Amino acid sequence: MDNKKLAELLFAHITKSGEDFIIKYPKRNLPEGAKVTRFAPSPTGFLHIGGLFAAFVSERAARKTDGVFFLRIEDTDKKREVENGVTGIVQGLQNFGIRIDEGMLTETESLGDYGPYTQSQRKEIYQTFCKELVEKGYAYPCFCTAEELDEIRKKQEENKLNPGYYGEFAKCRDLTYEEIEEKVKAGMPYVLRLKSPGSPDARIKFCDEIKGEIEMPENIQDIVLLKTDGIPTYHFAHAIDDHIMGTTDVIRGDEWISSAPIHLQLFDILGFEKPRFAHISPIMKEDEETGGKRKLSKRKDPEAAVTYYHEVGYPKEAVLEYLLTIANSNYEEWRMANPDADSDDFDFKLSNMSKAGALFDLMKLNDISKNYISTLTKEDVYERTLDWAEAFCPEFANLLKEKKDYAVRIFGIERGNEKPRKDIAKWQDTVSYTKYFFEVPTQYEWPENLSNADMTEILNTYKDVYSKDETAEEWFPKVRDMAESLGYAKAPKMYKKDPDSFKGHVGDVASVIRVAVTGRKNTPDLYEIINTLGYDEFLARIDKAIELLK
Ligand code: GLU
């Protein structure tokens, strides 16, 4: 077979050589050891938390080494594409502070010298390299129809053989030039297949940066390089793009491990230096139904979508901090030893990532987030709540703007002190958190151990006991004295020792006041709440509660 002639027959329109592209996209001028990494999603508009995780880890690896992180859009599967699918992904990354050095920025704009960064615009590049593979005898056209491929599959099933297009089943491998020419001229559709040089007994080894040494059978499949429409498969596009774009570390989901032998073979026959590979295990979740673990699912788990975190208002700092804790198990310990350090100072390592799949835990994220929010100033909490509310809860945003000073004061309660309160996990929580400040309660969680008459007595007495100008230090002793005068124990311990001698204890008394003012059993510091509400509002609420207890 005259391979050159065949290449010309199939790719007459290709006039460039692979070398032209190698020259056009020279090696980047980066410091020694710099990593070039990428995130390469399909433009489905949907960013899975696992995708954000992969992007985050890839960006970290680049940042740590003064390298480059780029975004490539893999739109070779038109079925998965949605309108504005790139924007959704770019937004998702941006919302979580992931910075793209190169690649797609919007549906049409990009940054960087290694583009186009959208695969559908790289046809000429792929086809140029395909032409060269045909010339070298590493690729051939295959005219098999779906029915023929089906027959092959059935035969393999009957004989318990591995599925696929290989060896004796690779029917089109041995077509003559004349046969091919006739079919091409007759306009028969064809795919371009790899003529795999692999042998069934050979094995390959490679060192995955996360999973360690991996050994697998060599690839023997004549996989499809170009589909009938001239668009490459993932495998081929990956080899070409990651080489031409200078990726040094391919960090991707571990569903691609099984195809790694194909990819390594492609790098070899193309004469490309192989990148390092790091395959990330999927993020897992405890399955409530089975008690086992399963992948976080787009269908079943709202928290699988990155938009979820944005919509409910988790601060990006908290989400990233959480991702670091699941990325490197030694991160938490480091954080404990360095509470105020920038997380960039942490020595993040791919090799410290979980081989089995990190377990996702919303409770843990909540804790991290509460902790983070507790360190913000009241002004920051106000501004960030407002930003969130403007996007997702406009009525609340209006209220915050109308009553700015009041809102800032509310957010200042038990904040800025040594042990700030940790009860806001996400901005959405602030709606309920601040509700009783803006509205008189409509529901009351009254303590169950006191009668209405007892509670009314407490409230009536407290109206007289409380004075406008008392200090935080004076406040509680006054409540305690009042409790004692009404027949309650001064301390819970006292009550426990001798319950028959008291109506209850000081905690119950404070609870009645708290519920009357806020409707709730659990709130931040009551003294601060009363002060923030103001004396008149306090009195009005006590009076309303007394009315309701009648
Ligand atoms: N488009 C591929 C995916 O979304 C990219 C895998 C890779 O990072 O190479 O799974």
Side-chain angles (χ1 to χ4, degrees), residues 38 40-42 72 74 80 234 238 250-252 255-256:
R38 83 295 190 274
S42 300
R72 179 172 70 226
E74 306 213 326
R80 298 184 58 198
Y234 168 78
H238 150 57
V250 171
I251 301 172
R252 62 184 176 188
E255 69 272 22
W256 294 110

Side-chain angles (χ1 to χ4, degrees), residues 49-73:
I49 184 77
L52 179 70
F53 186 52
F56 172 65
V57 164
S58 305
E59 192 217 12
R60 278 274 146 162
R63 293 279 164 267
K64 278 265 122 192
T65 55
D66 292 323
V68 171
F69 170 66
F70 69 87
L71 176 66
R72 179 172 70 226
I73 297 299

Side-chain angles (χ1 to χ4, degrees), residues 3 131-140 194-196:
N3 290 326
K131 185 174 185 181
E132 292 200 349
L133 288 184
V134 175
E135 280 172 10
K136 291 184 194 146
Y138 278 127
Y140 63 91
L194 166 73
K195 192 181 275 181
S196 170

